[in-house]
């Protein structure tokens, strides 16, 4: 009985290792930011000239990403490339002589994430490279992607104003999940604001964020929904009429007063002399 248990354990361990080896060391994992370029590496080792050879890149074993067949390839007449990759793939022609079949995916999209294979089916033995690509989404305006609940562009107004300050209001309506609102100055610095007023309409949120500013500037209200990587903003220009340099006026006033005093003194002095 005990012996059987030991044997079973050994078998489990053995099959576990085999499994790990198949999916482990052979796979290259890559993470790139959405919109950036991804170089998918694939090189024969030992080096072998592949200028007159055939290789193909596929995504998830089906979609054709790039095909090369003795100088004919996806970008110069080769057919069969998947629509998703059209115009975004290139290879390195001067690297082929060194057995380098790497490709570049330009302007990566989140939907480019997946398992990529680089195959040399006509070589003996067959050769295959495996790459797992993850394209990380970035925060940006996704209005055109028509995501339900994506915050619309905020509406910004000046609620009240004096020569010295202005009360600004930013409103975002009907957003889900709940967006974060922030006021920023033209340098992108956060402007302290009051607590946001949040109205929950059954999972859809209306948010109002007010702030008081005291400087002439271009202010921006930014709404962010991290969950869907969506960010929109609206701008408003605020011109305040407060004296540019209050100290300038004070110095000017004092100097002006002194000048007036001197003039009065001179006139009085002359009058006295004239009188004598
Ligand atoms: C293959 O070519 C690419 C592009 O020049 C380069 O970045 C990469 O390092 C090369 N790979 C090898 C193994 O030389």
């Amino acid at each position: 009985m005990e012996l059987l248990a030991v044997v079973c354990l050994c078998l489990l361990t053995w099959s576990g290792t085999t499994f790990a080896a198949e999916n482990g060391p052979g796979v290259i994992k890559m993470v790139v930011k959405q919109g950036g370029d991804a170089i998918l590496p694939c090189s024969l080792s030992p080096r072998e000239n592949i200028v007159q050879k055939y290789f193909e890149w596929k995504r998830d074993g089906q979609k054709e990403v790039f095909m090369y067949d003795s100088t004919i390839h996806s970008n110069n007449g080769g057919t069969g490339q998947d629509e998703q990759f059209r115009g975004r793939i290139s290879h390195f022609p001067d690297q082929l002589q060194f057995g380098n079949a790497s490709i570049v995916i330009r302007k990566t999209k989140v939907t480019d994430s997946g398992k990529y294979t680089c195959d040399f089916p006509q070589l003996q033995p067959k050769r295959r490279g495996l790459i797992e690509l993850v394209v990380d989404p970035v925060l940006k305006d996704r209005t055109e992607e028509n995501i339900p609940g994506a915050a619309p562009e905020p509406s910004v107004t000046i609620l009240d104003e004096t020569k010295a300050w202005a009360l600004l209001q930013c409103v975002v309506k009907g957003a889900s999940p709940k967006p974060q609102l922030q006021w920023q100055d033209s340098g992108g610095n956060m402007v302290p604001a009051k607590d946001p007023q949040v109205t929950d309409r059954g999972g859809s949120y209306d948010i109002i964020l007010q702030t008081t500013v005291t400087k002439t500037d271009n202010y921006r209200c930014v709404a962010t929904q991290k969950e869907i990587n969506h960010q929109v903003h609206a701008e408003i220009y605020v011109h305040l009429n407060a004296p540019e340099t209050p100290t300038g006026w004070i110095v000017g006033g004092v100097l002006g007063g002194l000048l007036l005093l001197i003039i009065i003194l001179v006139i009085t002095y002359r009058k006295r002399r004239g009188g004598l």
Side-chain angles (χ1 to χ4, degrees):
M1 199 56 197
E2 242 176 44
L3 185 69
L4 194 64
V6 171
V7 170
C8 281
L9 196 69
C10 285
L11 276 176
L12 274 176
T13 318
W14 180 75
S15 62
T17 322
T18 318
F19 183 76
E22 269 174 6
N23 291 268
V27 186
I28 299 170
K29 287 203 173 176
M30 294 188 57
V31 180
V32 296
K33 273 238 173 291
Q34 177 190 14
D37 294 352
I39 296 184
L40 305 189
C42 178
S43 281
L44 289 183
S45 130
R47 285 178 173 187
E48 188 176 326
N49 190 331
I50 52 170
V51 172
Q52 296 299 328
K53 297 284 183 336
Y54 175 89
F55 64 86
E56 61 189 17
W57 278 89
K58 286 195 173 166
R59 145 103 193 264
D60 297 330
Q62 305 158 5
K63 290 185 172 180
E64 185 179 302
V65 179
F66 187 79
M67 181 280 300
Y68 179 94
D69 190 4
S70 333
T71 71
I72 301 295
H73 53 83
S74 299
N75 294 335
N76 71 359
T79 53
Q81 186 182 45
D82 194 275
E83 198 59 44
Q84 180 184 350
F85 300 104
R86 195 142 305 161
R88 293 197 294 133
I89 310 290
S90 45
H91 69 305
F92 302 97
D94 52 352
Q95 289 285 323
L96 295 173
Q97 55 184 311
F98 309 118
N100 187 340
S102 305
I103 54 166
V104 188
I105 305 181
R106 287 185 302 273
K107 295 184 183 151
T108 51
K109 306 170 183 180
V110 175
T111 50
D112 289 340
S113 297
K115 290 200 171 96
Y116 289 79
T117 46
C118 154
D119 268 304
F120 294 87
Q122 293 167 1
L123 290 189
Q124 280 307 327
K126 292 175 186 172
R127 242 64 68 77
R128 161 171 284 194
L130 192 53
I131 288 134
E132 206 173 314
L133 178 69
V134 175
V135 181
D136 262 352
V138 294
L139 264 182
K140 62 167 193 173
D141 186 347
R142 295 183 186 276
T143 306
E144 280 173 8
E145 294 174 30
N146 289 317
I147 302 166
E153 188 177 296
S155 96
V156 290
T157 45
I158 299 177
L159 278 193
D160 197 3
E161 200 176 6
T162 69
K163 282 185 176 174
W165 53 263
L167 175 61
L168 310 183
Q169 174 168 282
C170 174
V171 181
V172 169
K173 283 189 172 173
S176 169
K178 187 164 91 183
Q180 298 294 316
L181 261 57
Q182 189 182 80
W183 277 104
Q184 294 176 355
D185 65 15
S186 58
N189 308 300
M190 188 189 122
V191 177
K194 300 178 186 174
D195 285 340
Q197 302 163 41
V198 181
T199 314
D200 182 352
R201 301 186 191 285
S204 170
Y205 297 88
D206 294 355
I207 305 193
I208 301 174
L209 186 68
Q210 295 181 346
T211 185
T212 303
V213 297
T214 54
K215 273 185 244 158
T216 293
D217 203 351
N218 212 11
Y219 293 93
R220 168 184 284 216
C221 175
V222 183
T224 308
Q225 288 165 303
K226 274 218 181 87
E227 298 85 348
I228 54 172
N229 302 295
H230 175 58
Q231 187 168 69
V232 272
H233 68 263
E235 287 182 355
I236 191 162
Y237 181 70
V238 177
H239 181 76
L240 295 171
N241 274 317
E244 293 277 310
T245 47
T247 47
W249 287 103
I250 293 165
V251 171
V254 170
L255 282 181
L258 273 177
L259 192 66
L260 201 66
L261 198 68
I262 290 167
I263 291 169
I264 291 170
L265 282 176
V266 168
I267 291 171
T268 330
Y269 177 72
R270 281 201 174 166
K271 268 192 183 161
R272 281 220 189 128
R273 270 185 83 182
L276 280 173

